[in-house]
Each structure stands twice: as C-alpha cells, then as structure tokens.
Amino acid sequence: MSKEIVLTLMSSIESKDEYTNGHSARVADYSVLIAKKSGWTEEQCDELWMEAMLHDIGKIGVPDNILKKADWLTDTEFKVVQNHTTQGAKILENLSSFPKATEAAKFHHEK
C-alpha cells in the first residue's frame, strides 16, 4: 500500500470530523519518533507510520450525529464510538500485504 493511498483514506475519514482533523498524522509521527529512538529500522518505521495513520479508519462507520455531537455522549452513543476499533479491523482484515494494520485498528484503545 502506498503512502498516497493511506493519506487519501485518512483525509476522507478525517473530513467527517473537523475536531480530530490531523489526529492520525500526529499519532503516526509520534509513533515513528518513539520507534526510531527504540532502534527500529526505516522499513519498520514506514510500516508503523501506515498502521498509525489507519488506526481510526473505523470511524467512517460512526454516524455523524454521534461523531460530531457537541454535548456529552449517552452510554449507548459512547458504545457506538468504542466500536470503531472493531469496525476498523473489519475494514482492514483483507489487506494481506499489511496484516499489522488490522491489529493497530482493533487494539489501539487497549491499556
């Protein structure tokens, strides 16, 4: 997968939510900085960058009335937002050339 495709996907997703615009790029940049300090190769850092860029792809399945809600979310709405990790993993699961992207999407809210 090329960086151009990843950037295009994330631009389309982030256009749904102005509040988080640029979030994926910041996550990707910080992740790569940490990886470089940890001795990762350039190839590993490139893969990590793409995984981080795609981590919120599941937000495309969150309805706008919830994603853009200015007030506190109800418990039900919050569960819909939380489900974006599972939705993201489903979207990316057939991306055989980039299998770690599925894990990045599915587990990025784990503590």
Side-chain angles (χ1 to χ4, degrees):
M1 178 176 290
S2 75
K3 287 187 176 185
E4 285 180 335
I5 292 171
V6 170
L7 289 169
T8 300
L9 282 170
M10 289 321 302
S11 292
S12 65
I13 292 160
E14 288 188 345
S15 70
K16 281 186 66 168
D17 183 13
E18 294 172 15
Y19 176 73
T20 61
N21 194 357
H23 166 73
S24 293
R26 287 188 300 276
V27 168
D29 291 343
Y30 283 125
S31 297
V32 168
L33 284 173
I34 292 167
K36 284 182 178 180
K37 291 279 187 183
S38 299
W40 287 30
T41 67
E42 196 65 33
E43 183 179 323
Q44 289 172 314
C45 288
D46 286 345
E47 287 180 21
L48 177 63
W49 181 86
M50 287 196 262
E51 291 163 9
M53 286 295 289
L54 294 171
H55 80 277
D56 268 342
I57 197 165
K59 282 187 176 179
I60 199 142
V62 177
D64 284 348
N65 66 315
I66 295 174
L67 193 60
K68 296 180 179 185
K69 186 174 178 180
D71 203 1
W72 291 98
L73 298 177
T74 66
D75 290 342
T76 303
E77 292 167 334
F78 188 67
K79 285 180 183 174
V80 170
V81 173
Q82 285 180 311
N83 194 42
H84 82 277
T85 59
T86 304
Q87 289 178 333
K90 281 189 142 204
I91 291 168
L92 298 172
E93 71 185 356
N94 293 318
L95 194 58
S96 61
S97 62
F98 204 51
K100 291 182 184 176
T102 302
E103 291 179 23
K106 188 171 186 175
F107 299 115
H108 75 271
H109 280 287
E110 296 298 318
K111 295 180 180 168

